[in-house]
Amino acid sequence: MRITGEQRRRRLVAHQLALGVDLPGRRAAVSPEDVTDRLVALHATDAPSVHLAVLARVPGLTVDDVRAALFERRSLVKVLGMRRTMFVVPRSVVPVVHAGASLTVAARLRTRLLKELATLPTDPPVADPGALLEAAQAQVRAVLAEHGPLDGAELARAAPLLRTAFLPTTDKVWDVRRTLTSPLLSLLSAQGDVVRGEPRGAWSSPRHVWSLMSDWFPDGIPVLDEDAARTELARSWLAAFGPATVADLKWWTGWNLGQTRRALADLDLREVEVDVGPLGGDAVVVDGVMLRGPEGDGGLEGLDDPAVDAVVEQHVALLPTLDPTVMGWTARDWYLGPHRPLLFDSAGNAGATVWWQGRVVGAWTALPDGEVVWRILEDVGTDARAAVAAEAARLTGLLGGVGFTPGYVTPLYRELRATG
């Protein structure tokens, strides 16, 4: 069975972008929890992206709706998981990500941190890296238990071992004095000891607080078998992102090839051919997989419905930096086309993108006053440009005069911010 690029783009619109409308076999999403569940996880490294990813998919939702799900209901939780990346996942998925991805990440972070403490110059000198690391973790837990949520700077003042500094070893501009605070909090997050909480100030602020995970899960994160968790994570990802390649899943999870294959081995899969070539270019067909049953085959069988036609033909979206759809696959030409150099930074991080009919056609940003500005990179016609302008105006209204600066700067972002 061969899945064309056009079929993949139609499924992308129906199952990942146009979530606020009813479609055959799928009810409309009505909450931030619905959106996150459909996408498995939302990227949360860049503070505004979680809110913006939700607002792009369900027009009736607001920034306050997302905040309530994150910090009042706590039905969505920030976890350090796949690829050592901060994600937001549904509360029920936390144990799956913890066992299937986070624990492996934590082991790697611990090994790296111990090596740095043993080999790099520090202030003050560290005689026993293992003892220092255990004492610093205990200090953070004790401070949070006594004082409640604190940001990184407040933690460093209350837990003096966090002020242990790594000293520069070269004259490179990036090689600067850095403290133990950030890497230790990453380790504690991956271990499931702490959780990233609400930002200080505006919703888009990168200055967030940390809490003990026990404040969110009083009985601890439920323990799952790691292999079973990986299989469940693979199933959820394929339901949202399939049909796809094994390489796509391996990249998204950060697993090695053996772990990826073992996770897929316990699923009921159909082997397919998927086109990863760009729109308008030659087909590039590679081996892929999809789930059997309603989550897999059913998602394709409904794509020829007239209701899907109507949605796809007029669909526009302004997706944020590191959006889960933009970053969902490692082979991206089938929805990204030739625009990668302008829309990604040198490390492979996606900037904010403009979408039309299931493919990337431009970029956007918000100015300091909250006005959304955009640029189209190809001829999409007057109807598409009008739809983008209307979506930009809608998003400007939702931002309420509050702009933000993304954490990842792309070439086109610089141009947009300079010209307004």
Side-chain angles (χ1 to χ4, degrees):
M1 180 179 182
R2 178 177 170 184
I3 313 300
T4 67
E6 176 63 22
Q7 287 177 303
R8 298 187 78 190
R9 287 185 289 271
R10 288 171 66 82
R11 191 179 195 278
L12 185 153
V13 172
H15 288 259
Q16 293 212 9
L17 299 183
L19 299 185
V21 297
D22 286 316
L23 287 175
R26 194 216 71 196
R27 65 175 179 82
V30 297
S31 68
E33 292 89 342
D34 285 344
V35 172
T36 310
D37 183 64
R38 303 280 174 86
L39 296 169
V40 187
L42 306 180
H43 278 260
T45 304
D46 208 22
S49 292
V50 174
H51 299 74
L52 296 171
V54 172
L55 301 186
R57 290 169 167 86
V58 181
L61 296 177
T62 67
V63 166
D64 286 341
D65 291 325
V66 182
R67 179 195 168 277
L70 285 167
F71 307 121
E72 294 178 8
R73 295 191 295 275
R74 294 184 175 179
S75 50
L76 300 179
V77 185
K78 293 187 178 183
V79 295
L80 192 70
M82 296 72 72
R83 304 190 317 280
R84 197 169 53 84
T85 296
M86 187 65 68
F87 286 96
V88 161
V89 301
R91 187 180 182 87
S92 61
V93 178
V94 171
V96 176
V97 172
H98 183 65
S102 299
L103 290 178
T104 300
V105 169
R108 292 172 182 164
L109 290 177
R110 178 180 174 80
T111 298
R112 177 190 299 178
L113 197 48
L114 286 171
K115 181 179 180 180
E116 290 182 337
L117 287 168
T119 60
L120 296 179
T122 61
D123 179 22
V126 175
D128 186 337
L132 182 280
L133 187 57
E134 293 306 316
Q137 292 184 82
Q139 217 171 64
V140 170
R141 296 188 194 102
V143 166
L144 289 176
E146 180 180 357
H147 299 286
L150 297 173
D151 64 31
E154 292 166 337
L155 271 170
R157 287 193 292 269
L161 290 178
L162 290 182
R163 301 197 292 272
T164 303
F166 298 100
L167 304 178
T169 58
T170 72
D171 58 359
K172 303 295 186 183
V173 66
W174 47 263
D175 190 6
V176 298
R177 181 186 177 99
R178 56 189 176 89
T179 71
L180 187 60
T181 303
S182 181
L184 186 68
L185 287 173
S186 292
L187 173 59
L188 287 167
S189 179
Q191 290 176 171
D193 292 323
V194 301
V195 60
R196 183 183 288 189
E198 191 163 13
R200 300 286 199 200
W203 62 275
S204 57
S205 170
R207 186 187 171 203
H208 47 264
V209 299
W210 294 92
S211 301
L212 289 173
M213 184 63 83
S214 57
D215 292 345
W216 297 59
F217 287 84
D219 297 324
I221 298 173
V223 177
L224 301 181
D225 174 77
E226 290 188 21
D227 287 338
R230 290 192 186 103
T231 295
E232 174 58 22
L233 195 56
R235 184 205 62 76
S236 298
W237 183 85
L238 276 174
F241 292 87
T245 69
V246 174
D248 289 328
L249 176 61
K250 176 179 177 293
W251 176 84
W252 187 85
T253 56
W255 298 333
N256 61 40
L257 186 57
Q259 291 170 328
T260 306
R261 287 174 171 166
R262 285 194 297 274
L264 291 172
D266 290 331
L267 296 175
D268 186 12
L269 300 177
R270 170 182 290 186
E271 294 184 356
V272 296
E273 295 180 325
V274 291
D275 186 357
V276 298
L279 178 70
D282 294 334
V284 181
V285 180
V286 298
D287 292 336
V289 293
M290 62 188 294
L291 295 173
R292 295 184 186 274
E295 290 182 309
D297 299 354
L300 289 175
E301 290 170 358
L303 294 183
D304 57 358
D305 192 286
V308 176
D309 286 338
V311 170
V312 172
E313 288 303 311
Q314 297 299 317
H315 189 267
V316 63
L318 271 59
L319 301 186
T321 299
L322 296 177
D323 184 85
T325 295
V326 186
M327 301 294 292
W329 301 264
T330 188
R332 299 169 178 148
D333 287 350
W334 57 278
Y335 59 89
L336 187 59
H339 305 311
R340 182 190 300 263
L342 288 174
L343 301 178
F344 282 68
D345 69 11
S346 60
N349 299 300
T353 49
V354 176
W355 289 65
W356 175 248
Q357 297 177 342
R359 60 191 176 92
V360 176
V361 297
W364 68 276
T365 192
L367 300 179
D369 64 358
E371 179 188 1
V372 172
V373 295
W374 48 277
R375 183 176 301 175
I376 300 299
L377 297 173
E378 59 186 79
D379 183 8
V380 293
T382 56
D383 288 349
R385 295 185 71 88
V388 172
E391 181 65 5
R394 182 184 77 87
L395 186 54
T396 297
L398 289 172
L399 295 181
V402 177
F404 54 86
T405 301
Y408 301 92
V409 177
T410 65
L412 192 51
Y413 166 78
R414 292 189 181 94
E415 294 181 24
L416 284 170
R417 201 61 180 260
T419 60

